Amino acid sequence: MVKLATAAVPDAFDEAAEGYDLLVGANPDYHRELRRSATALRVRGDGAGLRLLDLGCGTGASTAALLSVAPRAEIVAVDASRGMLERARRKPWPDTVSFVHARAEDLAVHGPFDGVFAAYLVRNLPDPDPVLRSVRGLLGPGARFVAHEYSVRDSWAATALWTAVCWSVIIPSGVAVTRSAGLYTYLWRSVLDFDGAAALRDRLRRNGFTGVRTLPAAGWQRGVVHTFVGEA
């Protein structure tokens, strides 16, 4: 089985884009947990007058989560996969939402932002540290960065659960929809190889964030998916 390199992930998402919403929609907790993480930005009121950055927006699930907590905010949604962005743009959005095709490593957006949301992004970066430092520089004083991310390395039970779910559900479903196992075996491996929750908190602190903490997911994803919060 060929191992998918991290640098090739955006192209793999291009190929998987058409079936992506169908696959994530089969997880009853997926959208609920994104909304839960978005609330950790602590947006004031309905977001009127605020600017939010959705980094790694994919087909727009994280963008929708941001809109649920900040319906009047300006949202700039960025993704490296052209195919995923095309899917996102087909959906109905208010005029306050705009989409940008760019890798997180090559961001050309201008701050300050009143919050940055990154769902399932940090794990997919070849080198997270420069991107995290860039994000820190884009935040206004006191604004928050929230990463919604898989992390199982600190728990053997979470590691075992993740492997069982991948090989019994995620990988077979991905193959059935896209006829390719590459992206989904990469997903399994990338989570196993990624920082434990404690290591990711340390990484955020090293890159200039304060008040760093972790909030747990609910349901079957508890211990597998986490909300990481850091402040500027």
Side-chain angles (χ1 to χ4, degrees), residues 86-103:
E86 287 176 358
R87 291 286 295 179
R89 286 175 172 141
R90 292 178 205 168
K91 299 173 182 178
W93 303 102
D95 293 340
T96 51
V97 175
S98 60
F99 292 95
V100 177
H101 179 231
R103 288 179 179 264

Side-chain angles (χ1 to χ4, degrees), residues 10 16 18 21-22 28 35 37 65 78 93 99 101 103 164 188 200 212 214 217:
E18 287 299 317
D21 287 335
L22 175 64
R35 291 191 295 270
S37 285
V78 178
W93 303 102
F99 292 95
H101 179 231
R103 288 179 179 264
W188 167 62
L200 184 51
V212 175
T214 308

